[in-house]
Amino acid sequence: QLPAGLYKKVLVILHDSILPYMNEPTLMIDFLTVAYGIGGAISLLALNGLFILIHQHNLEYPDFYKKLYGLLDPSIYHVKYRARFFHLADLFLSSSHLPAYLVAAFIKRLSRLALTAPPEALLMVIPFICNLFRRHPACKVLVHRPDGPEGMSEDPYIMEEESPSESRALESSLWEIRTLQNHYHPDVAKAAAVLNQSLSEMEDDISALLELSAPELFDKEIKKNAADVPLEFEQIRGLFGKKNDIFAEHFTLD
């Protein structure tokens, strides 16, 4: 049993400062699997080490995607290690052999959590979701149900379900992204509107968006050159401002 602070310090450097110098990196399997099951930021940090063991040392981890799916909670868009998590999630979901129900569950959960995410996170996760559609065309059925599944009065997707296979994501629709098309931030609304059109075959490069922060987004906005807005002023006459109504004859604003 290690303190949470020590867990984080070890896991941050484990993948590049410890595992490459071990003769048998597989000795860390138990440590990483236990850390992955703790939850929260510790689980996010354990993903780096697990990725190396899975990718380079043929580690077979049962229910890996189920636990990865379980890490998606409202804090995922706010944590310090958000960029690291989405970089690895992009790698884990890159295989075209993943079942459609699994990818659809990730798309649906990320979209639902995006409803309360800050703009800088939305500008990253919307292209992330678009890339998943490009890799897995079978999931596009979510986009082609703009008004929801026929004959259903509510979304069949079960947000509280821990297993992606039981979440009924493929039966749902992506109304959350449609909602984000009316977002107050124009860049978010523009990014969400991409799904109204046919997606290009080329994937979006999200590497530059992973580290996007609120101050950077603010600086970008204030540096924009605002176009001159033409104004036409007409002096108000009468009580309601109309030129030739009965109120203009009998009332003034003097």
Side-chain angles (χ1 to χ4, degrees):
Q1 297 294 327
L2 299 177
L6 184 56
Y7 253 123
K8 293 178 182 179
K9 288 181 180 179
V10 172
L11 292 172
V12 163
I13 64 171
L14 185 69
H15 65 287
D16 58 359
S17 299
I18 298 177
L19 288 180
Y21 303 99
M22 293 182 67
N23 292 329
E24 295 184 39
T26 52
L27 292 173
M28 301 301 295
I29 289 177
D30 289 340
F31 172 74
L32 286 170
T33 51
V34 170
Y36 189 46
I38 290 177
I42 293 177
S43 293
L44 298 184
L45 293 174
L47 278 174
N48 266 113
L50 281 176
F51 173 72
I52 292 177
L53 294 181
I54 292 172
H55 184 65
Q56 300 180 6
H57 301 281
N58 300 317
L59 169 64
E60 293 185 8
Y61 192 95
D63 296 331
F64 175 81
Y65 284 98
K66 180 179 178 181
K67 291 192 175 183
L68 183 64
Y69 180 74
L71 291 179
L72 300 179
D73 58 27
S75 68
I76 198 66
Y77 292 124
H78 304 272
V79 292
K80 178 181 178 181
Y81 310 105
R82 182 187 71 197
R84 178 183 296 209
F85 171 79
F86 278 98
H87 170 70
L88 291 171
D90 188 49
L91 292 175
F92 288 131
L93 296 171
S94 61
S95 173
S96 59
H97 299 291
L98 294 175
Y101 76 84
L102 177 67
V103 179
F106 275 90
I107 291 174
K108 186 65 180 175
R109 195 175 184 105
L110 286 170
S111 301
R112 182 67 60 83
L113 296 174
L115 293 175
T116 57
E120 63 271 16
L122 292 174
L123 291 175
M124 174 270 300
V125 77
I126 293 175
F128 183 93
I129 291 173
C130 290
N131 285 346
L132 293 181
F133 279 121
R134 291 184 176 97
R135 299 169 191 166
H136 308 275
C139 294
K140 289 183 179 179
V141 65
L142 297 175
V143 180
H144 298 318
R145 292 196 192 110
D147 299 322
E150 295 181 4
M152 294 185 181
S153 58
E154 59 183 18
D155 193 339
Y157 173 67
I158 307 173
M159 182 72 174
E160 296 76 19
E161 176 58 52
E162 296 181 358
S163 173
S165 60
E166 302 295 331
S167 66
R168 301 178 62 189
L170 269 179
E171 303 173 29
S172 182
S173 65
L174 215 58
W175 59 265
E176 295 91 348
I177 301 297
R178 194 177 183 87
T179 302
L180 292 177
Q181 292 175 6
N182 298 312
H183 197 273
Y184 69 86
H185 197 289
D187 290 346
V188 173
K190 182 179 178 180
V194 170
L195 285 175
N196 290 341
Q197 307 165 358
S198 297
L199 292 175
S200 62
E201 295 184 3
M202 184 70 68
E203 290 191 9
D204 295 324
D205 184 11
I206 64 170
S207 58
L209 302 173
L210 293 175
E211 300 282 355
L212 189 63
S213 64
E216 290 175 349
L217 205 59
F218 183 79
D219 290 341
K220 179 182 176 183
E221 289 297 320
I222 63 176
K223 290 178 181 178
K224 285 183 178 179
N225 294 324
D228 293 332
V229 180
L231 300 175
E232 182 177 351
F233 175 73
E234 184 175 339
Q235 189 173 1
I236 295 178
R237 294 182 65 252
L239 189 62
F240 295 106
K242 295 182 180 179
K243 293 183 179 179
N244 302 313
D245 61 359
I246 189 171
F247 296 102
E249 295 179 10
H250 301 286
F251 298 92
T252 64
L253 297 179
D254 296 337

